[in-house]
Amino acid sequence: MRVTFALTLLGLATQAVAGPPPPPPHGGPGPVMPRPGPANPGGAPPPPPPAPPAPPKSSTAVVKSSTSSSSAEPTTSCPTSQCLKGVPFPSLINVTLEDLQAGLAANLFTSVDLVNAYTARIGEVQGNLSIVTEINPDALAIAADLDAKRKAGIILGPLHGIPMVVKNNIATFDKMNNTAGSYALLGAKVSREGAVASKLRKSGAVILGKANLSQWAYFRCYNCSNGWSAYGGQTKGAYYVDQDPSGSSSGSGVSTSIGAIWAALGTETDGSLIGPADVNNVCAIKPTVGLTSRDMVIPISEHQDTVGPLARTVKDAAYILSAIAGFDSRDNYTTANPDGNRTVNYAAACNSTSLSLKGKRFGVPWNVIETYGQPSDDPLVAPLLAAFNASIATIVGLGATIVSTNLTINDGVNEEIVLDADFPVNLDTYIKALTYNPQKIYNLENLRDFTEQDPRELWTPTSRDVAVFNESLDLGYNNTDYRFWQAYQADLQLGGPDGIIGALSRDKLDAVLLPSQYSYSFAAIVGTPIVSVPMGFYPQGTPETPNSFGDLIAFAPDLPFGLSFMGAKWSEYNLISYAYAFEQKTMVRNMKQPAIVPHTELKDVVSS
C-alpha cells in the first residue's frame, strides 16, 4: 500500500507515502448500513517494492470559511500575503475552472504553479485520506510546455493547463501505473492511452495523478470497504473522521471535495460516480453508456460501464464532459451517440435561462421513497426525506411541475448475471491490449489465483476475499450465452417500460428526481444518465453509525447527501441545466466545509 510522489522536479526528494444499501451485487458502492435501500450492483511475481520512508506529517485544518474570486482586477483590500500586485489568488477549495483560467490569462499564476500547489495539497492529506495512488512524474514538464504554448498564444481548449486526476482504472500512456488498485497489474504496460485520457490532454488538461478506488471498482469482494484497494490503501472521506467515502470512485470524489485537485474523472457501473458525489458534497455526471469511450478503461461490464466527471460545481463538471464525450472507433457503443463526433458545449447549459424551470415536468417515484425511506422517523432517514421534500418545494418555486410516478423495484438478480457474464470477456479484452504483463495475468482465473496467493493483496477466506471473482467464474457462461441474453432483456424491461424510460415517456416527464443514494441502480441497468448535486447534510445529533464492517463511519453529523436528476438516454444537456438551476438557487455545497482540508494555496507557491 504505497503511493509514489514524484517530487524531485520540485526540488524535493522522491518519497513514498503509505498509502447505505444492503450488500450490493457488485460494481458500485459497497454496503454502508444494514438498512433498507436499493440493490446497487460499480513468471514469478516481481520483488516487493522497497520499504517506504516515514511519511511526512499530515497538515490539516477545520475550515471556517473560504471564498473564491474570478476577478483579475487589482483590489486595494487584498493582503500582500494573499495576492500578487493587488490581485487576489483564488482559494483552491472553492475555485472554479473559470477562476483558474482567468488567473492564468492574467499571468497571476502559471500551470506549473498549479501543479506545485495541487501536488503539495495532495501530500498534506495523503497520510490521512489515501486519495491518490501516484503522482505523474512528468506533470511539471507537461505544465511547463502548456505555459509556453499559452505564452505563444496557443490555447488547446477550456482545460488548458488545468491539473486533474483520473481514477486508477483509466489507462494513461505515461509513467504511471493502471492497476484498478491491485498488484496484479503493477508494472504492466498498455499499448495505448484510454480515449478519455487522450481527450483530456487534447483539451489541455494536465493529468496530475491517479486516484485511489475501491479495488477492481468494487468487483473483487463483498467484504471490502468502500475506497479500499490493496495497492492504494483505504481512502476516507473528509467531512468526518474515518468517513466512509463511498465508491468505487472514492479518491476522485474525496480529492475533489477538499480542493486537493480541481476535478477528477471516475467511472460507474452502478453507483460508482453518484455514490461518492452523494457523500462528498460534489457534483457528478454519470453519462449515458456510449457517450464517453471505455477503451482502455479496466472494465466490469460493457453494458453498464461509463466514464464521467466529479467536480465541485455543475458547470465545471459540464466543461469536463464536453472534453471527454464523443465517438471513438474502439468503443462501438459510442456509435449510438446522436451527436456523433460533434463537440457538445455542455457548459452552455449553465446560463441565466437555465435558472428558470418553468414548464418542466419532474417525476417523483413515491413508491421508491416509501420503500427505501423506512422507517420515516429513523434519524438516518428523516433528515434525508426532509431535505428531499424541501428540494421539491424549491424546484416548484423555480417554475416546475411535480408529477407522481412509479419505478419498478427489482432484486438485482438479472443485473448480477449481466455483470458476472460480461466481466471475464471484457477483462480479457483489456489484458490483450497490454504490451507487458509481468504478473502473467491472462484471464480471470489467473487474477483470482494471484489475489489469493500474493500477500500484498491481503486476502483471507473471511476478509477481503474474492467472492465476486468466484461468482463470475461459477456462473459457467459468459455474455455470448442465451442465458445472459435472457437476463439482459429482463433488465431492459425493468429499466425500460417498467422503469425510468417508461416513467419519462408515460408521464411526459423531463426528468425524475430521487435522493442520490436511492437513484443509481434504476439508471444502471439501462445505461441512462444521472446528474447528482449536493442537497443537504445530516444534522447535529445524528448518531455516529459505522458501515457494515465497522471500520468506517457511514452516518454522522455534517455528512453530505445529494439529489439526482435522472433522464432519458442522451439527455445530459437538459439534466445539466436542471441541476444547475437547483445548485444556483440553493448553493448547498457552501453551507458546510470539510473537516479535513489541505492548507497550501497558490500564494504559497507563486513568487511575487
Side-chain angles (χ1 to χ4, degrees):
M1 288 180 285
R2 62 193 296 273
V3 49
T4 300
F5 286 91
L7 298 179
T8 51
L9 294 176
L10 304 184
L12 301 174
T14 300
Q15 53 189 306
V17 183
H26 36 244
V32 294
M33 262 290 292
R35 68 179 180 85
N40 51 336
K57 293 182 179 179
S58 175
S59 177
T60 59
V62 176
V63 176
K64 300 298 184 183
S65 64
S66 183
T67 58
S68 171
S69 172
S70 60
S71 172
E73 296 298 322
T75 173
T76 56
S77 61
C78 179
T80 302
S81 63
Q82 299 290 333
C83 63
L84 180 63
K85 297 179 181 178
V87 180
F89 291 105
S91 169
L92 293 178
I93 194 169
N94 285 335
V95 71
T96 67
L97 177 62
E98 291 172 357
D99 293 337
L100 292 174
Q101 289 296 2
L104 289 166
N107 200 30
L108 183 60
F109 47 83
T110 66
S111 296
V112 166
D113 293 328
L114 288 175
V115 167
N116 284 335
Y118 283 125
T119 302
R121 286 172 73 85
I122 291 169
E124 285 183 60
V125 299
Q126 177 67 16
N128 284 344
L129 303 181
S130 297
I131 52 178
V132 302
T133 56
E134 49 202 296
I135 293 290
N136 186 353
D138 296 322
L140 279 171
I142 293 168
D145 179 67
L146 291 167
D147 284 334
K149 283 184 170 63
R150 182 183 295 276
K151 190 174 182 179
I154 301 170
I155 302 296
L156 298 182
L159 306 184
H160 189 105
I162 307 299
M164 293 180 61
V165 297
V166 301
K167 187 176 179 179
N168 192 10
N169 62 350
I170 300 172
T172 52
F173 200 61
D174 52 24
K175 296 173 185 174
M176 292 189 290
N177 290 284
N178 194 44
T179 68
S182 171
Y183 285 95
L185 294 179
L186 183 63
K189 302 300 181 184
V190 296
S191 56
R192 60 186 181 273
E193 186 158 77
V196 289
S198 180
K199 284 175 178 283
L200 283 182
R201 295 192 202 273
K202 289 177 181 177
S203 189
V206 179
I207 300 179
L208 180 59
K210 291 291 189 78
N212 197 21
L213 73 166
S214 307
Q215 189 164 343
W216 293 101
Y218 209 79
F219 209 75
R220 165 182 160 174
C221 46
Y222 296 120
N223 55 4
C224 299
S225 298
N226 286 319
W228 176 84
S229 72
Y231 181 61
Q234 177 65 65
T235 297
K236 298 177 182 179
Y239 278 84
Y240 201 82
V241 175
D242 293 333
Q243 179 197 342
D244 188 315
S246 191
S248 63
S249 303
S250 312
S252 298
V254 177
S255 61
T256 299
S257 75
I258 60 175
I261 197 67
W262 163 66
L265 285 191
T267 65
E268 175 153 331
T269 305
D270 189 337
S272 289
L273 283 162
I274 302 304
D278 180 46
V279 307
N280 289 296
N281 199 29
V282 296
C283 170
I285 301 175
K286 180 254 178 183
T288 302
V289 172
L291 184 66
T292 56
S293 172
R294 290 83 51 83
D295 181 53
M296 296 309 295
V297 176
I298 297 173
I300 293 177
S301 167
E302 65 184 80
H303 293 89
Q304 293 189 196
D305 291 352
T306 188
V307 182
L310 293 119
R312 291 184 297 276
T313 70
V314 173
K315 193 171 188 179
D316 280 0
Y319 273 117
I320 299 168
L321 185 61
S322 293
I324 64 174
F327 172 75
D328 173 30
S329 62
R330 294 184 184 274
D331 184 347
N332 64 353
Y333 284 71
T334 64
T335 62
N337 183 351
D339 292 308
N341 206 27
R342 180 177 67 89
T343 299
V344 177
N345 182 6
Y346 291 104
C350 304
N351 57 57
S352 57
T353 304
S354 301
L355 298 179
S356 171
L357 296 177
K358 185 176 180 179
K360 304 304 178 185
R361 290 169 56 87
F362 295 136
V364 176
W366 292 109
N367 69 307
V368 175
I369 302 297
E370 291 164 1
T371 301
Y372 298 151
Q374 296 296 330
S376 60
D377 60 350
D378 187 301
L380 305 182
V381 175
L384 179 72
L385 298 186
F388 182 64
N389 288 327
S391 298
I392 291 173
T394 297
I395 288 168
V396 169
L398 291 170
T401 297
I402 299 298
V403 179
S404 294
T405 191
N406 185 86
L407 300 179
T408 299
I409 298 170
N410 73 89
D411 58 12
V413 170
N414 290 303
E415 184 178 12
E416 282 195 35
I417 292 172
V418 170
L419 303 188
D420 286 339
D422 269 344
F423 185 52
V425 176
N426 297 159
L427 179 64
D428 285 357
T429 299
Y430 178 84
I431 290 171
K432 287 175 182 176
L434 298 177
T435 59
Y436 179 56
N437 187 350
Q439 276 68 254
K440 302 188 183 306
I441 306 297
Y442 299 120
N443 51 46
L444 182 54
E445 290 92 340
N446 294 160
L447 175 59
R448 187 265 313 275
D449 294 346
F450 176 92
T451 305
E452 289 183 344
Q453 295 165 13
D454 191 297
R456 296 172 296 176
E457 291 290 310
L458 301 181
W459 173 89
T460 74
T462 57
S463 174
R464 293 171 174 160
D465 58 26
V466 288
V468 182
F469 292 170
N470 285 332
E471 183 177 284
S472 183
L473 291 168
D474 292 344
L475 184 65
Y477 57 89
N478 62 29
N479 61 10
T480 63
D481 191 276
Y482 76 93
R483 288 167 290 183
F484 160 83
W485 190 250
Q486 290 174 331
Y488 182 52
Q489 291 303 306
D491 266 356
L492 294 183
Q493 177 68 34
L494 287 166
D498 297 346
I500 181 73
I501 294 173
L504 291 163
S505 174
R506 180 179 61 250
D507 297 320
K508 298 178 172 59
L509 304 175
D510 294 288
V512 169
L513 305 174
L514 274 175
S516 291
Q517 62 188 258
Y518 298 164
S519 68
Y520 34 81
S521 290
F522 296 103
I525 58 176
V526 284
T528 52
I530 304 174
V531 179
S532 177
V533 291
M535 181 173 72
F537 302 83
Y538 285 98
Q540 296 302 310
T542 299
E544 181 183 287
T545 307
N547 64 5
S548 59
F549 308 124
D551 59 348
L552 296 171
I553 302 302
F555 299 93
D558 297 335
L559 292 192
F561 46 74
L563 173 67
S564 282
F565 292 80
M566 309 165 66
K569 289 184 178 182
W570 321 113
S571 66
E572 283 82 357
Y573 189 96
N574 290 336
L575 294 181
I576 287 167
S577 72
Y578 309 150
Y580 179 74
F582 178 81
E583 172 197 58
Q584 294 301 300
K585 182 65 176 179
T586 61
M587 299 303 288
V588 170
R589 173 173 168 77
N590 295 341
M591 293 179 181
K592 293 185 186 294
Q593 295 285 5
I596 301 171
V597 294
H599 287 299
T600 302
E601 295 286 352
L602 280 165
K603 66 181 177 63
D604 300 313
V605 300
V606 177
S607 171
S608 60

